[in-house]
Amino acid sequence: MSQLSPEKILGLGLGFWNSKALLSAVELGLFTVLAEGPADAETLRVRLGLHERSARDFFDALVALGMLERENGLYRNTAETDLFLDRAKPSYVGQILEMSNLRLFSSWNRLTEALRTGAAQSENAAEGDFFGALYADPEKLRGFLTAMSGISAGPAQAIAAKFPWRDYKTFVDVGCAQGMVPVTVARAHPHLTGGGFDLPQVQPVFDDFIAQNGLSDRLRFYPGDFFEDALPKVDVIVMGHILHDWNLEEKRLLLAKAYEALPKGGALIVYEALIDDERKTNAFGLLMSLNMLIETPGGFDYTGADCLDWIRDAGFAQTRVEHLLGPDSMVIGVR
């Protein structure tokens, strides 16, 4: 019998050390600076405005964590951090890490209280309407919407590649945020037109992003509240990282509204970090559900089997679950 060790327990319990080191590096713009070229510790320390006591351990910790490389005293990005954490590149995904650093890190410190009370613990929790408070602050809203682009970029590419878009002509992303999914899908399939549906406050951010990507002639913004207003009439409706924000009754209402908006043969794509049906292996999906506990009054994540039941109850006849990448999968229903 092998000797038991507390290493796994201690590594998990102190995992926030690793996380905060990366989050602070993103906040400081370390990877963006190094994208300009390798630098020694003193040059990097001065560029970032760090104290002499802290810098070397900080940089070397990131080397040990696999986020930086060091050779002959010069630090440089890894291939991954250079591609995904340089703010100057369109492939930048650090927006979600920036939001995690500013908001989620402190909110998760109150997880025990959330577990005991079932009540949201975010900075807007006392206001009762998480999204209303967030959307009322233009600066916070823009940060949130760009963060959603960071977390949607990978799944968007997989959806563009794996869904049979050739069979459809129009689509809309419901809860579109900045517009990462519409842009990615439209770029990959020039025959498609459509856009994004979200609250009116989102339109300036969406329109700017669409214009930057040269797609204003094919993609438009549909303003509305998806609980109050009808969804646009298109061939395909996408709901990504949306259903988990809401309680079961609200989830069912949104699925019913999607069914009503689609024509015969139209398709619904729901994608999330779906919890595995046995609820044993997709830790990210389960932790995301705890994030919904902290962030929202009634939201929770779910399994593919759960979602299949709900979309069948909404009336969809042909249904399936298909893995996208990482923890994300899509549930497809055809009317």
Side-chain angles (χ1 to χ4, degrees):
M1 179 178 177
S2 61
Q3 186 175 0
L4 295 177
S5 167
E7 183 178 358
K8 182 177 179 181
I9 294 171
L10 295 177
L12 182 59
L14 298 174
F16 65 94
W17 290 4
N18 303 355
S19 172
K20 195 61 177 75
L22 175 60
L23 296 180
S24 289
V26 172
E27 178 184 2
L28 291 164
L30 169 61
F31 304 105
T32 302
V33 169
L34 284 177
E36 300 171 9
D40 60 49
E42 181 61 13
T43 301
L44 205 50
R45 181 190 75 77
V46 173
R47 284 286 304 272
L48 299 178
L50 304 184
H51 193 277
E52 291 178 358
R53 181 185 174 197
S54 69
R56 186 181 178 194
D57 286 348
F58 179 53
F59 301 147
D60 287 344
L62 290 165
V63 171
L65 290 169
M67 296 292 100
L68 292 180
E69 296 173 350
R70 187 190 69 237
E71 187 175 358
N72 299 324
L74 294 179
Y75 295 90
R76 58 172 53 85
N77 289 333
T78 67
E80 290 81 6
T81 56
D82 194 67
L83 180 63
F84 296 118
L85 293 180
D86 174 12
R87 291 179 182 141
K89 292 185 175 69
S91 51
Y92 181 66
V93 299
Q95 306 97 327
I96 188 66
L97 300 181
E98 292 176 23
M99 186 182 78
S100 296
N101 192 40
L102 287 171
R103 295 184 48 251
L104 299 185
F105 196 85
S106 60
S107 296
W108 268 75
N109 192 41
R110 298 185 289 276
L111 174 62
T112 306
E113 183 67 14
L115 293 170
R116 286 175 172 153
T117 65
Q121 301 295 315
S122 68
E123 75 274 24
N124 298 327
E127 302 180 48
D129 181 1
F130 168 75
F131 289 102
L134 181 65
Y135 278 47
D137 184 324
E139 185 175 348
K140 284 185 178 180
L141 175 60
R142 185 173 286 270
F144 175 75
L145 297 178
T146 55
M148 292 305 98
S149 286
I151 205 170
S152 297
Q157 292 177 12
I159 290 169
K162 295 188 175 187
F163 184 76
W165 291 103
R166 63 186 178 278
D167 299 334
Y168 303 94
K169 295 180 179 179
T170 59
F171 76 105
V172 70
D173 183 20
V174 173
C176 60
Q178 191 181 26
M180 180 60 75
V181 171
V183 162
T184 304
V185 171
R187 272 180 169 172
H189 303 280
H191 72 284
L192 291 173
T193 59
F197 180 97
D198 214 315
L199 293 173
Q201 300 96 308
V202 174
Q203 182 161 4
V205 180
F206 180 91
D207 286 347
D208 286 349
F209 189 67
I210 301 306
Q212 289 168 15
N213 283 276
L215 290 166
S216 301
D217 58 330
R218 292 169 51 208
L219 299 175
R220 55 160 290 198
F221 187 78
Y222 296 84
D225 179 329
F226 51 43
F227 287 120
E228 302 294 333
D229 303 312
L231 300 182
K233 301 282 189 180
V234 290
D235 298 334
V236 179
I237 289 176
V238 181
M239 290 183 178
H241 302 146
I242 292 297
L243 285 189
H244 73 162
D245 293 331
W246 310 100
N247 65 34
L248 181 55
E249 181 181 357
E250 291 163 332
K251 284 175 168 63
R252 289 186 179 278
L253 174 60
L254 292 177
L255 293 172
K257 296 189 82 160
Y259 183 83
E260 286 300 315
L262 290 168
K264 180 70 173 176
L268 169 67
I269 302 171
V270 173
Y271 76 89
E272 303 268 18
L274 292 178
I275 300 169
D276 59 289
D277 288 347
E278 297 299 318
R279 298 177 60 86
K280 287 183 177 180
T281 58
N282 189 354
F284 185 89
L286 291 159
L287 292 168
M288 180 63 81
S289 199
L290 291 178
N291 191 59
M292 292 302 102
L293 166 69
I294 288 171
E295 290 278 277
T296 69
F300 64 93
D301 284 76
Y302 47 87
T303 68
D306 292 334
C307 193
L308 286 174
D309 286 342
W310 301 334
I311 65 174
R312 287 167 185 156
D313 288 346
F316 291 93
Q318 302 174 44
T319 60
R320 68 182 189 275
V321 177
E322 188 170 345
H323 180 250
L324 294 172
L325 78 170
D328 281 296
S329 296
M330 61 178 171
V331 183
I332 298 171
V334 178
R335 176 166 178 175

